[in-house]
Amino acid sequence: MMQQATGGSTRIQGLDELIKAAEGDKLPPVENWNPPDCGDIGMRIRADGTWLYQNSPIGRKALVKLFSRILRKDADGRTYLVTPVEKVVVEVDDAPFLAVEMQVENQGRDQQLIFRTNVDDIVHCGPDHPLRFELEPGSGGLKPYLLVRGRLEALVTRALYYDLVDLAEAGPDGESLGIWSGGAFFPLVADATDFDKTSS
């Protein structure tokens, strides 16, 4: 069990007003907010999904879920916790979320994959929530990512990656292998931008 982070005087302004909204099904409209950037207060998400505040793990899952609902990745490539009155930087080691469970409905081109993240987002993979694959440094294998919302992605866990590989079928061209979900086909190859990184 992770230990709860020690309390400090730093608080994210506007957070109290969001607690009730976060308890409902509707996500706060973080994409519509344009608060000032208040810098770095020591928030970080490790590659294993652990949230840290000033290097101490945040042990309360309810608090992590609340933070996850006001998370946003901006066009500058940085990730922030956002309220109507301020935003603070969150350092993300890999992806902000993990896809930890997968449900498979139907087969072939009618297949629908439904994922649950480590913060209990339910995501129906398809054109609006695509899968993409990156090369894994060192091993040369593939790492799958699922778009959750906005620019925020979930890294599909290793166990689920093997399940995905078992579901691979031929694509529209009848040759390339990939995953069908929600009427879309996601090839089991790394993004072209990923190849550009390795060749540069």
Side-chain angles (χ1 to χ4, degrees), residues 76-183:
D76 63 5
R78 304 201 75 178
T79 303
Y80 300 90
L81 286 179
V82 185
T83 77
V85 295
E86 73 172 350
K87 66 179 182 180
V88 296
V89 172
V90 180
E91 296 297 333
V92 180
D93 291 357
D94 194 334
F97 308 130
L98 296 175
V100 295
E101 289 183 350
M102 180 177 69
Q103 179 174 313
V104 183
E105 296 181 352
N106 302 319
Q107 295 179 331
R109 297 192 179 201
D110 296 325
Q111 181 171 265
Q112 177 66 68
L113 304 182
I114 304 170
F115 292 88
R116 183 181 70 82
T117 72
N118 59 318
V119 289
D120 294 333
D121 288 301
I122 303 299
V123 184
H124 290 66
C125 179
D128 294 332
H129 300 281
L131 277 171
R132 69 176 184 89
F133 297 86
E134 275 194 9
L135 288 174
E136 185 172 30
S139 73
L142 293 176
K143 293 172 65 177
Y145 293 85
L146 174 71
L147 184 63
V148 176
R149 59 179 174 272
R151 299 181 179 90
L152 300 172
E153 294 182 309
L155 172 65
V156 178
T157 59
R158 178 63 63 182
L160 291 188
Y161 170 67
Y162 293 130
D163 291 340
L164 281 176
V165 171
D166 287 341
L167 295 172
E169 295 192 8
D173 60 6
E175 296 181 1
S176 57
L177 283 178
I179 309 299
W180 287 97
S181 185

Side-chain angles (χ1 to χ4, degrees), residues 132 134-135 191-200:
R132 69 176 184 89
E134 275 194 9
L135 288 174
D191 280 352
T193 53
D194 206 42
F195 287 120
D196 291 343
K197 293 176 191 175
T198 60
S199 61
S200 58

